[in-house]
């Protein structure tokens, strides 16, 4: 007889749908680290992220019987985590001032991007410093790959607002990255 | 600039592609607790709701029973319908009755207006074997309508007309108070000297009378009915904020969602199965109650674009469709005006307690979206009214068809921005047993 750890994804889904605790634990263990990072990207603190992770997996176990195989399980779970995170942040998003693209004062974008690769923890720390609106739009556009009209629908804002939020978020991140680069450069000069 | 953007985004995508971090171990413990809680959350309210429904139904029926009992033992006019028993009617015990001694005396007694029970022919006067199928016409019919109360008061003056040798004359039908027939103790009379001369007063059962035949079953009814419901969820918008805190990213404004719920709504098959019961509290009025299981279903085509990544945009061209299924137990409590006969009709109106059993929203084309119209209240009160007709095959069995309209008196969803007052017209029918 096949051991639970040898279960295929299909078998795992089937057993989770039946409410099997072992299967639920295995499914959680398969995805929780990755999904925790997704939750962290949409939150400010680890507490918020853990709440999102918890609520997401409760929903996943409740709805997994309806999972159809026309998308990957990874993608389906990620969608639920993102939706849960946006739902939790909705109050903040509603209160937030959203600039439209017409209100924007053009800020010169820094040209500091090189082939340097960043550790995700550095980038995560920068994303978490953004306001909730910038954070949501930036994550959805730059990392998840949604278009501005899709983001507008998701967040209940206009497409122009999504564009302006993204532009501002990008400018802020560029500044922060530039500062980091300067610090590294100065440290290197001091060593020399 | 464009290539710069690409580069900028790639930095993040690459960095986060396989990023993993370990959350606190408490997260799983909390998930386990939440998941373990779920069945209780679902099942307990259902048991509670079914219990409450049963208690209300029992209360309604038992209350009606007492109303009905009072009716049958009070001074309301009823038709004789005792069909099987043979109670012996006696005079009051210890009351001496003078026996006529000679023919003259007997004649005198017969010519005298009688104010007391007499036994002019040395007969045991018994009420009757109800198996008699003698049909009485004209005044006889009218006379068999006995008013129990007044009959009880006038018992001393009610003549027990001699019916010799079992012959029955329409003018000589003894009118007996039903209550006395049923309640007096069965005793043999001291006049029981000549049992061989027993004569029977033919008792008319209501079922012997053509006009009253279908009015005989007047205590109440119980039946099983099935109905098709033309259902409308009755959504209305309270504010233009997001309808609920949930439909993440699906709608920019509540108005869009509201329009979808009203303009792009499709009814599916909705039906109900009902145990229908009623007790008469007066000649024409009855308390109507029962227990109904209802399943209402509808779907909404959402106009919002789907949240899909670029590689799935092909399927995003189709509108998403959500299907909403609601199952409930309903306990109506109505006042009904009932006309009986071979063909009868009924008007009823009242309220109903609708106990939610399940409320499920399924997204039929896109997964991963958690649709939620807000918390569906476990108990909702509806107002309802209906009209029906019935055809009775026998005094006890008939079919009934009725049309009912009902509307929830309160919003079924607990959300500040969206209200729903479901309403539906049901057309149904079923078999009734009258007792």
């Amino acid at each position: 007889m096949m051991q639970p750890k040898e279960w295929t994804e299909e078998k795992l889904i089937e057993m989770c749908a039946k409410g099997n605790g072992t299967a639920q634990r295995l499914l959680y263990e398969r995805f929780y680290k990755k999904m925790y990072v997704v939750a962290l990207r949409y939150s400010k603190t680890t507490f918020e992220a853990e709440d999102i992770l918890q609520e997401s997996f409760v929903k996943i176990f409740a709805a997994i019987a309806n999972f159809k195989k026309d998308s990957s399980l990874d993608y389906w779970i990620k969608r639920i985590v993102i939706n849960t995170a946006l739902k939790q942040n909705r109050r903040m998003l509603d209160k937030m001032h959203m600039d439209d693209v017409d209100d924007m004062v053009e800020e010169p974008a820094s040209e500091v991007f090189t082939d340097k690769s960043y550790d995700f923890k550095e980038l995560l720390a920068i994303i978490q410093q953004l306001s909730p609106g910038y954070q949501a739009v930036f994550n959805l556009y730059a990392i998840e790959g949604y278009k501005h009209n899709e983001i507008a629908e998701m967040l209940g804002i206009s497409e122009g607002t999504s564009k302006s939020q993204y532009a501002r978020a990008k400018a802020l991140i560029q500044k922060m990255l530039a500062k980091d680069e300067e610090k590294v450069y100065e440290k290197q000069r001091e060593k020399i | 600039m464009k290539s710069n953007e690409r580069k900028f985004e790639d930095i993040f995508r690459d960095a986060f592609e396989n990023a993993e971090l370990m959350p606190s171990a408490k997260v799983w413990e909390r998930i386990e607790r939440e998941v373990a809680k779920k069945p209780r959350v679902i099942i307990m309210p259902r048991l509670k709701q079914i219990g409450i429904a049963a208690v209300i139904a029992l209360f309604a029926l038992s209350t009606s029973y007492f109303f009905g009992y009072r009716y049958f033992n009070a001074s309301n006019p009823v038709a004789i319908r005792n069909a099987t028993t043979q109670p012996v009617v006696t005079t009051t015990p210890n009351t001496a009755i003078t026996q006529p001694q000679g023919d003259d005396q007997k004649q005198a007694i017969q010519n005298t207006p009688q104010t007391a029970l007499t036994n002019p022919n040395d007969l045991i006067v018994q009420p009757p074997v109800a198996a008699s199928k003698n049909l009485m016409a004209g005044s006889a019919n009218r006379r068999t309508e006995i008013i129990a109360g007044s009959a009880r008061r006038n018992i001393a003056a009610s003549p027990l007309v001699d019916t010799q040798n079992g012959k029955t004359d329409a003018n000589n039908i003894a009118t007996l108070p039903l209550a006395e027939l049923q309640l007096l103790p069965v005793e043999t009379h001291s006049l029981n000297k000549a049992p061989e001369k027993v004569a029977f007063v033919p008792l008319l059962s209501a079922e012997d009378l053509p006009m009253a035949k279908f009015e005989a079953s007047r205590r109440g009814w119980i039946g099983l009915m099935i109905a098709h419901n033309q259902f409308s969820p009755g959504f209305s918008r309270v504010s233009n904020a997001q309808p609920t805190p949930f439909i993440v990213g699906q709608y920019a404004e509540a108005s869009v969602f509201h329009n979808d719920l009203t303009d792009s709504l499709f009814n599916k098959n909705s039906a109900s199965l009902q145990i229908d019961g009623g007790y008469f509290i007066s000649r024409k009025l009855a308390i109507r109650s029962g227990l109904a299981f209802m399943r209402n279903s509808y779907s909404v085509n959402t106009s919002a674009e789907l949240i899909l990544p670029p590689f799935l945009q092909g399927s995003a061209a189709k509108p998403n469709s959500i299907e909403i299924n609601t199952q409930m137990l309903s306990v109506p409590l109505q006042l009904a005006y009932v006309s009986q006969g071979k063909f009868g009709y009924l008007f009823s109106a009242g309220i109903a307690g609708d106990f939610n059993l399940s409320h499920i929203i399924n997204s039929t084309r896109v997964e991963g979206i958690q649709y939620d119209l807000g918390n569906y209240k476990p108990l909702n009160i509806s107002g309802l009214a209906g009209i029906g007709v019935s055809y009775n095959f026998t005094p006890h069995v008939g079919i009934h068809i009725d049309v009912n309209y009902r509307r929830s008196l309160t919003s079924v969803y607990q959300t500040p921005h969206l209200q729903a007052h479901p309403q539906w017209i049901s057309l149904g029918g079923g078999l009734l047993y009258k007792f």
Side-chain angles (χ1 to χ4, degrees), chain A residues 12 16 37-38 56 64 110 115 135 168 179 182:
Chain A
L12 201 58
C16 282
V37 174
V38 175
S56 301
I64 200 161
S110 169
D115 288 339
Q135 195 176 0
R168 281 183 178 275
K179 272 185 191 173
E182 272 176 31

Side-chain angles (χ1 to χ4, degrees), chain B residues 55 196 255 348 373 432:
Chain B
V55 167
E196 69 282 0
S255 58
S348 61
L373 301 179
L432 297 184

